[in-house]
Amino acid sequence: MYCVLLVSSDRELCFLGIRFAPMLDPNITLRTAEDIPQAINIMKSLPVDAIVFDQDEVNDISKFIVAADRNRVSGPVILVSKEPSMDLLMRAIELRIDAFVPRSNRDPSDFFGEIDTRASIIAERRRNENYRRINESRMEALVKMASMDNEDFQSIVKYALEKSVELTNSKIGYVALYEKDRGILNMLAWSVQAMKGCEISNYPVEFELNSTGIWGEPIRLGKSITINDYENDRKSMKKGTPAGHIKLEKLLMVPIIVNGEIIGTAGVGNKESEYTTFDETQLNLMMTQLFSIYKSRSNFRREVTRSSAARTLMESGPVGFLYIDSEMNIIFTNRVAADVIGFDPMSRLPLPLDSLGARNVTDIKALVNSVRMDNSDRTLRAHISGDGNTTYECAATRISGGVDVIPGFMITLTDITDVVLMDSLRSRAVEHIRVLEGPVLNTLIASRRALVPLGDITDDAYPALVALDNTVTFMDDYRNVGISEPQWFPVKDLVDKAIRAAGVGNLPVEVKSDGISILVDPEFPVVFKNLLTNSASHGGRVSKITISCRISQGNLTITYCDDGAGIPDYLEDSLFDQVPQGRFGMFLIKNVVDSNGFAIRHVPTGSGTCFEIGVPPTHYSLG
């Protein structure tokens, strides 16, 4: 579900929005505000996924952005206007407005249909960006926790709790251990803000589980508890809070489970918006990893060097992990790393690295020695091979000794086979192009120039001359493809460049791109050039060519259509695969589209020719 806020002084527009938006997309919930102050108040109290702002004499987009930033509320913004001016559009670009939708003379279902589509796309992007940011912050926190070698456990608990409060956008939090044999909950830490807001100076640190209220329920029930309206919630397990206790508005509590056993509970509270399963997941992961570190630390001396941080973070993940002490002995390895270096993870550790016979062990030793000789604390990287078909990026970092840590080297192995393969394919393609643009292409161009002036070309020789001309044109078009890094280009600019290159300025071409830009190879216009050339050469009497864009389910589709003679049925199955009679156009189109990560297909229409190019969400932008 997406909550969309429409800010407009036009009451008729607001009425139509409430009527049409949810009807056109049941996943959209529309709220309305007549002016900027009302909109700010709504955004403070309600999570808004997208804002539709109607520019008029009452509400100005610049004032709205300033007011929103001052009040620390944000959200993707779609600007609409009856009479957009160039000044307004320039301000929208400067303010980084996510999209613009004109509203003049439009049917409500068409207008709000586009609003729904744009809102869901940018809202989903914002959600994904937010989730990614939170996940990255959690991973950074876990790495920080794992590296707090010289800190006592209480300090790590406090750090983990403050990070949990931050990740869930909460204001307060707590962590407690459960002593099962005594039936006691032992309070380990309150968040800083919770202590500031609590007037009780002698708050107890131990509680009997049987006498506790709601915050003992995660232990008793073995599951998470979420209360998004604490004041009005009537759960029987609530026993109230003592005088002077910080006021509770919302509450999320989870049991802390390690190796199938409940060892404690943690909670966060007073988030401005409602708690979700995503918040529950973040809190669960932080606490589980925290106490996994705690348990590993407790056993560290007895088990010698089973690094708690490495085991917690790397044991079952996709990244290989090795810990090697300063004497080049393997102290710990996970499953992925064991497979790479040919090591039985059940073998007794520590084990000398030199005792392994895998070829890549020598490469790992060389990287470790480079780290040993390097005076800085930076991580060094190198590529090593796995089973002959797999390539790994090997990263090595020096780890200084601490209270519970043996000095050594942390090694990670990340599978980059696909990346290396793509780099190899691109390098080979570039080399092939260099060959084509060198003596071969020059010879063909010289031959074409020598043959064209001949006035007595026989009928038998003429097709060969045409094939030669098509081959030279193909090689000239393809010679620079894949050389430069992808760049952002407006679709219309790509088409305009193709029209000039194809020399078909007399063709009636209509471009409907709505200001959309795509991330492509700078040579991408050759796709449109060859489509236009085919329409001009083989379409017969073409009176109209349309290039349009549409967005569906987050993907962009670029459609090319003409009203010409169409493509013969016998070519349908081999349209992109063969090069009939020395014509390379469709072969070139398919290869360039594929190399940019897109897909192209021919769409039978009964008359004329139609192609669709599919562009993923990561490779297009609106406005």
Side-chain angles (χ1 to χ4, degrees), residues 479-513:
R479 66 192 302 179
N480 293 320
V481 173
I483 299 296
S484 303
E485 291 296 321
Q487 301 175 34
W488 288 98
F489 295 97
V491 172
K492 189 175 186 312
D493 289 357
L494 297 173
V495 175
D496 289 344
K497 183 177 180 180
I499 292 173
R500 293 191 298 269
V504 291
N506 59 326
L507 283 178
V509 181
E510 182 181 8
V511 182
K512 302 176 181 178
S513 61

Side-chain angles (χ1 to χ4, degrees), residues 311-333:
R311 189 167 187 80
T312 300
L313 299 176
M314 303 294 183
E315 181 78 44
S316 58
V319 177
F321 180 83
L322 278 161
Y323 195 86
I324 302 172
D325 68 13
S326 56
E327 302 299 322
M328 300 298 279
N329 295 312
I330 300 174
I331 303 302
F332 169 75
T333 177

Side-chain angles (χ1 to χ4, degrees), residues 178-462:
Y178 174 42
E179 297 179 27
K180 185 176 181 180
D181 56 339
R182 298 174 56 203
I184 294 294
L185 284 175
N186 190 337
M187 183 63 64
L188 286 182
W190 284 95
S191 64
V192 173
Q193 290 302 318
M195 295 305 295
K196 288 181 179 179
C198 188
E199 298 175 1
I200 305 173
S201 59
N202 59 341
Y203 203 91
V205 294
E206 287 191 353
F207 303 84
E208 290 185 5
L209 179 63
N210 293 333
S211 63
T212 59
I214 192 170
W215 72 290
E217 283 299 287
I219 303 292
R220 290 189 286 266
L221 299 179
K223 66 178 184 179
S224 301
I225 305 293
T226 302
I227 301 176
N228 280 316
D229 187 358
Y230 192 90
E231 185 70 24
N232 298 314
D233 190 272
R234 299 302 178 189
K235 297 184 187 298
S236 59
M237 51 192 160
K238 284 172 53 178
K239 294 187 177 181
T241 55
H245 191 284
I246 190 169
K247 183 181 178 181
L248 292 175
E249 299 168 353
K250 296 181 179 66
L251 190 60
L252 168 64
M253 300 170 293
V254 300
I256 302 172
I257 303 175
V258 176
N259 296 331
E261 180 182 1
I262 297 178
I263 66 168
T265 179
V268 290
N270 292 356
K271 179 182 179 182
E272 289 187 359
S273 57
E274 293 188 348
Y275 285 107
T276 65
T277 54
F278 184 76
D279 297 317
E280 178 185 341
T281 299
Q282 295 301 320
L283 183 57
N284 260 318
L285 289 172
M286 281 293 293
M287 292 300 116
T288 300
Q289 299 291 1
L290 166 67
F291 284 92
S292 293
I293 291 175
Y294 168 71
K295 191 167 185 178
S296 295
R297 276 194 163 205
S298 301
N299 298 329
F300 187 87
R301 291 297 182 186
R302 183 176 65 252
E303 298 184 7
V304 190
T305 53
R306 287 188 174 269
S307 169
S308 58
R311 189 167 187 80
T312 300
L313 299 176
M314 303 294 183
E315 181 78 44
S316 58
V319 177
F321 180 83
L322 278 161
Y323 195 86
I324 302 172
D325 68 13
S326 56
E327 302 299 322
M328 300 298 279
N329 295 312
I330 300 174
I331 303 302
F332 169 75
T333 177
N334 71 349
R335 174 185 51 78
V336 174
D339 291 343
V340 172
I341 62 176
F343 168 68
D344 182 359
M346 300 302 293
S347 300
R348 188 178 181 86
L349 292 174
L351 183 74
L353 185 62
D354 283 335
S355 66
L356 301 179
R359 183 184 61 182
N360 48 39
V361 169
T362 302
D363 297 330
I364 294 175
K365 285 177 56 182
L367 183 61
V368 170
N369 286 329
S370 297
V371 174
R372 192 194 302 270
M373 297 172 63
D374 191 82
N375 292 325
S376 67
D377 294 330
R378 60 180 176 170
T379 298
L380 300 184
R381 304 175 188 276
H383 289 182
I384 68 170
S385 62
D387 55 6
N389 297 317
T390 308
T391 301
Y392 290 89
E393 181 182 71
C394 182
T397 306
R398 184 198 311 272
I399 303 298
S400 301
V403 176
D404 289 333
V405 178
I406 288 179
F409 304 91
M410 181 172 65
I411 312 294
T412 58
L413 300 165
T414 306
D415 188 342
I416 58 169
T417 304
D418 291 341
V419 176
V420 173
L421 177 61
M422 292 303 297
D423 288 344
S424 175
L425 292 175
R426 170 165 286 199
S427 297
R428 286 163 54 192
V430 170
E431 290 302 318
H432 290 172
I433 293 170
R434 288 174 177 171
V435 171
L436 292 177
E437 70 178 2
V440 175
L441 181 57
N442 292 334
T443 300
L444 289 173
I445 292 174
S447 300
R448 181 178 62 175
R449 289 174 179 170
L451 290 172
V452 168
L454 298 178
D456 56 349
I457 297 295
T458 64
D459 292 341
D460 292 336
Y462 185 75

